[in-house]
Amino acid sequence: GSFAGALSQTVIYPLEVMKTRLALRKTGEFKSIFDCAKKIFKADGVKVFYKGYWPNLFGIIPYAGIDLAVYETLKAYCVEKYVEENRSPNALVLLSCGTFSSCCGQLAAYPLALIRTKLQSQAGLSGKLGLPAEQTHTLGLFRYIIRTEGLKGLYRGIVPNFCKVAPAVSISYYVYERTRSRLG
């Protein structure tokens, strides 16, 4: 499972970098996704397509582990405490467990996601931004954010992320549980 996730991230990660760069571009900066790839490659070489890769990879591990563990633990508690014998938990129970577990996973992994996005936004712009070397790699950027903004700086933007991810994950858990119960 972990190996498959890491492999898929390795393969698709250059697309994530280009998505971020295209979202942040100036009007007319890139004509197409291919033009974007060509220009950022020309600026910084192949390594640019993996800017922020390590915090992304290391963020998946705690997020997935915490999310699944909290979900299963909370679901088991709710089933034992509130669900009658031989009945499946209702939609509200499953959606609530999924929402809470997703939020717990995000609290642990969000700082790495923030650093990943900041690094991705630098792709192909290394000379143009004039950033100190400290802000161009994972540990340096982490230290810089802590020093300049404090711990809360690592969670900038987490509320909209909760609003996006929590419903998606809880619906996925709900569909998974209902599909699993119907298939036996």
Side-chain angles (χ1 to χ4, degrees):
S2 294
F3 178 74
L7 180 62
S8 72
Q9 282 300 305
T10 302
V11 171
I12 67 159
Y13 198 78
L15 295 172
E16 289 286 333
V17 171
M18 287 190 294
K19 177 189 84 169
T20 301
R21 285 297 300 130
L22 286 165
L24 298 174
R25 72 180 172 192
K26 295 178 186 139
T27 303
E29 185 178 356
F30 305 117
K31 294 177 186 136
S32 67
I33 192 168
F34 300 109
D35 185 49
C36 174
K38 186 173 82 177
K39 285 181 177 173
I40 65 175
F41 174 78
K42 194 174 186 179
D44 289 323
V46 76
K47 70 179 185 202
V48 75
F49 293 103
Y50 289 91
K51 200 125 171 92
Y53 174 77
W54 292 112
N56 178 63
L57 195 60
F58 292 134
I60 290 168
I61 296 166
Y63 174 80
I66 291 168
D67 181 27
L68 187 59
V70 170
Y71 175 77
E72 289 296 339
T73 303
L74 195 55
K75 183 184 80 169
Y77 173 79
C78 288
V79 166
E80 181 182 309
K81 191 101 172 146
Y82 301 109
V83 177
E84 294 175 21
E85 202 168 316
N86 296 325
R87 292 199 53 211
S88 297
N90 67 33
L92 183 60
V93 168
L94 295 175
L95 291 170
S96 298
C97 291
T99 298
F100 184 75
S101 69
S102 172
C103 290
C104 290
Q106 286 181 70
L107 283 171
Y110 191 78
L112 291 167
L114 178 78
I115 287 171
R116 175 204 67 217
T117 303
K118 284 179 171 278
L119 291 171
Q120 285 177 341
S121 71
Q122 299 171 13
L125 298 172
S126 62
K128 297 176 186 173
L129 295 175
L131 293 172
E134 173 190 40
Q135 294 178 45
T136 61
H137 60 90
T138 302
L139 290 175
L141 188 53
F142 184 82
R143 283 189 217 115
Y144 175 79
I145 292 169
I146 293 288
R147 188 176 68 250
T148 60
E149 301 176 50
L151 193 59
K152 72 178 185 178
L154 293 173
Y155 290 92
R156 187 182 324 157
I158 196 167
V159 172
N161 202 58
F162 279 154
C163 295
K164 175 188 85 167
V165 176
V169 171
S170 37
I171 291 167
S172 294
Y173 277 133
Y174 175 76
V175 170
Y176 165 75
E177 293 290 349
R178 290 299 180 240
T179 303
R180 195 178 92 185
S181 70
R182 288 198 185 6
L183 295 175

